[in-house]
Amino acid sequence: MSSFDFSDPTAAAQLAADHVRSGFLAPAGIERIDMALVLGSGWNQGVERLGEEIATIALDEVPGFSKPVVAGHGGSLRLARTPRGKVAMVLTGRTHFYEGRGVEPVVHGVRTAAALGASAVVLTNGCGGLNPDWAPGTPVLIADHINLTGATPLRGATFIDMSQAYSPRLRALARQVQPELPEGVYVQFSGPSYETPAEVRMARTIGGDLVGMSTALETIAAREAGLEVLGISLVTNAAAGISSQNLDHGEVIAAGKAAGPRLTALLNALLERL
């Protein structure tokens, strides 16, 4: 919906939430959701096995959402009941900042989740790894982020604490599922060009371990809305300059496909505990 009005982001999220609630949750006797998952590059395989399906909606049928423009993303909003009986909203795809639509569409998903009653959100992505020990296909917990987009979803004098942007409780829960999960600092660039070797060196110098083009802006909006955030990156390639190979989106997709079964198992095990 390219002409959607985001001048009032809260009203926009409420409009989307009302559409989902009245059209799909209420008919199933459900008033609210408990959590949301945003599945980035490589993460949407096996989405049909994440909980018991309540309904699946094309993203562009929900006010304020658009079809993903990136190959390797899905394009649906799926409502499912988890093994613990909670209701999850699963977004297979996201709007990226580099699409030029502004910040509001980028964070519309997490704001809609909050308007639907969610208390937690799991944000996933495919990214470049700066640690040579993290081979393509390695999931990494996000411990913190650095936002290099020069943008924010916050308006005016809106001050929120970001000292624990990525929930220590949820990260500990993830380690119950896979104790070997490493963690690192995610650096969001604007994209859509991949980072140069010099930019990767800069990211490492300022404390980064992962580089990508999503997640940080969504995390800021999620924390503003009071959501707990669990961030998980899938290392799909070594960042520029870490290896001698050139970067190609095809390898991002291939790495995601290869890691698909492991990622699905990880998400399912998390849903059994969240």
Side-chain angles (χ1 to χ4, degrees):
M1 297 187 179
S2 58
S3 60
F4 187 80
D5 182 9
F6 281 106
S7 59
D8 184 338
T10 301
Q14 192 60 59
L15 182 64
D18 289 345
H19 177 87
V20 174
R21 184 181 290 108
S22 62
F24 302 94
L25 290 176
I30 300 169
E31 294 183 0
R32 54 177 290 163
I33 66 172
D34 298 290
M35 68 191 75
L37 295 86
V38 180
L39 304 186
S41 297
W43 287 88
N44 59 23
Q45 294 180 74
V47 64
E48 70 281 353
R49 297 193 295 277
L50 296 179
E52 177 187 353
E53 181 174 303
I54 298 167
T56 296
I57 318 156
L59 270 180
D60 59 345
E61 293 180 6
V62 183
F65 288 84
S66 303
K67 289 181 179 179
V69 301
V70 181
H73 285 238
S76 66
L77 185 158
R78 185 174 186 267
L79 300 166
R81 195 177 297 278
T82 75
R84 295 189 63 188
K86 295 188 177 182
V87 177
M89 180 179 79
V90 185
L91 300 174
T92 64
R94 53 159 51 96
T95 295
H96 291 80
F97 185 60
Y98 58 71
E99 294 175 35
R101 305 181 192 186
V103 177
E104 305 304 345
V106 172
V107 303
H108 186 54
V110 295
R111 284 176 168 160
T112 298
L116 281 167
S119 59
V121 60
V122 180
L123 299 173
T124 69
N125 61 59
C127 72
L130 278 62
N131 186 334
D133 293 334
W134 297 342
T138 302
V140 180
L141 294 175
I142 301 177
D144 204 346
H145 76 233
I146 299 171
N147 174 19
L148 295 184
T149 66
T152 177
L154 306 179
R155 295 189 176 190
T158 303
F159 305 110
I160 61 169
D161 178 35
M162 295 292 288
S163 58
Q164 292 188 342
Y166 297 89
S167 168
R169 182 185 75 86
L170 295 182
R171 281 152 52 201
L173 203 62
R175 286 203 189 86
Q176 291 178 16
V177 174
Q178 289 189 9
E180 72 279 10
L181 280 173
E183 69 175 29
V185 175
Y186 180 89
V187 183
Q188 180 176 354
F189 286 82
S190 297
S193 60
Y194 287 111
E195 303 77 24
T196 67
E199 288 169 337
V200 169
R201 290 195 299 272
M202 176 193 71
R204 181 153 48 188
T205 299
I206 63 177
D209 303 291
L210 309 158
V211 292
M213 307 173 194
S214 68
T215 305
L217 295 173
E218 291 159 293
T219 296
I220 296 168
R223 295 302 299 138
E224 179 192 23
L227 300 179
E228 263 191 297
V229 178
L230 176 63
I232 316 176
S233 290
L234 171 68
V235 176
T236 55
N237 55 272
I242 302 298
S243 77
S244 58
Q245 295 183 343
N246 291 333
L247 302 183
D248 187 292
H249 188 63
E251 79 177 42
V252 173
I253 297 173
K257 286 183 178 179
R262 182 183 182 189
L263 302 182
T264 300
L266 172 59
L267 291 176
N268 267 319
L270 280 171
L271 290 179
E272 290 176 359
R273 290 165 171 78
L274 288 173

